[in-house]
Structure formats: C-alpha cells, structure tokens
Amino acid sequence: MSYDCQTCGACCANLPSNRAEGFGYWVEIKPDDKILTRQDLLRKHVIHDPDGVPHLRLAPNGQCLALRGRVGGGKVACGIYHQRPSPCRRVQPGDGSCLQSRQEHGLEL
Ligand code: SF4
Ligand code: SF4
C-alpha cells in the first residue's frame, strides 16, 4: 500500500505509547538542524526537555505545533517544511516509524 503524507501527519504527533510512558516530547532536534539558527522559529517551535535537549513544541492536542490540519483528518501540511529538523526528513512513507505512527493513530495500514 502507498501512503499519502498530505492526508496523514501521523508521524507529526506524539504517539500514544510515548505518552503512556510519560514522555511529553516528540521530535528531537539535532545540533546541526538549521531551525536552531532561526530565532523566530526557535521561539515559537522549540522547547527543551529537562535534560536541555531541544524538541519540536507540541500543541495541546499532541500534534506538532507546526502541523497544519488534523492527523488523519484530510489535508495536512508542515508549516516549517524547509526548516523541519532532520528526524522529520528521515521518516519515509511505509517505513517502520511511519507504520507505527499510523497504527497508533488508528490509520489504515
Ligand atoms: S511518513 Fe507515514 S506517518 Fe508520516 S505523514 Fe507520511 S504516511 Fe503519515
Ligand atoms: S516540523 Fe513538520 S514534518 Fe516535523 S513533526 Fe512538525 S509538522 Fe511534522
């Protein structure tokens, strides 16, 4: 099956299993990721965990704050696509992370 990221967004939201383990952070930002050099994006989209590691900020509904639309709810898009951090770039439709994300968010496999 082929997956359409533009109607999905499951990997752009904290996973239920992650939340169940008490982790309120999702995508980790790596030191070389350019988003860390953009002060405007840094202020809005980056939050540090108690160990000082930067992550993308999540909206109260658990989705990445940069995600436009609702996971699995039709059209979605990344609002910071060209500055998205490296972990976002690594996930590929149909790979293990993708399938786990889709499954946990109740989307078709
Ligand atoms: S990579 Fe997979 S989980 Fe992420 S948006 Fe695309 S289809 Fe959805
Ligand atoms: S930055 Fe973009 S690609 Fe990365 S999790 Fe947020 S919405 Fe998804």
Side-chain angles (χ1 to χ4, degrees):
M1 171 162 178
S2 67
Y3 301 108
D4 177 11
C5 295
Q6 295 183 334
T7 59
C8 175
C11 59
C12 301
N14 201 1
L15 292 184
S17 61
N18 198 40
R19 282 205 303 271
E21 289 180 31
F23 297 118
Y25 302 95
W26 184 226
V27 177
E28 184 178 318
I29 300 170
K30 302 300 179 189
D32 290 342
D33 288 338
K34 290 208 170 53
I35 188 173
L36 294 177
T37 67
R38 282 277 304 267
Q39 288 303 316
D40 54 337
L41 298 180
L42 199 57
R43 273 195 300 276
K44 183 171 180 185
H45 289 288
V46 179
I47 188 168
H48 292 81
D49 71 16
D51 295 324
V53 178
H55 295 258
L56 288 171
R57 192 185 296 275
L58 297 174
N61 64 4
Q63 295 186 177
C64 176
L65 190 63
L67 185 68
R68 295 185 184 142
R70 189 171 56 80
V71 170
K75 192 91 179 137
V76 293
C78 175
I80 56 169
Y81 188 77
H82 295 293
Q83 278 79 33
R84 71 198 191 288
S86 48
C88 302
R89 298 167 190 258
R90 276 201 293 275
V91 186
Q92 295 297 318
D95 74 8
S97 299
C98 166
L99 295 179
Q100 182 185 3
S101 298
R102 287 185 60 93
Q103 182 177 35
E104 289 206 29
H105 287 287
L107 301 178
E108 192 183 359
L109 294 180

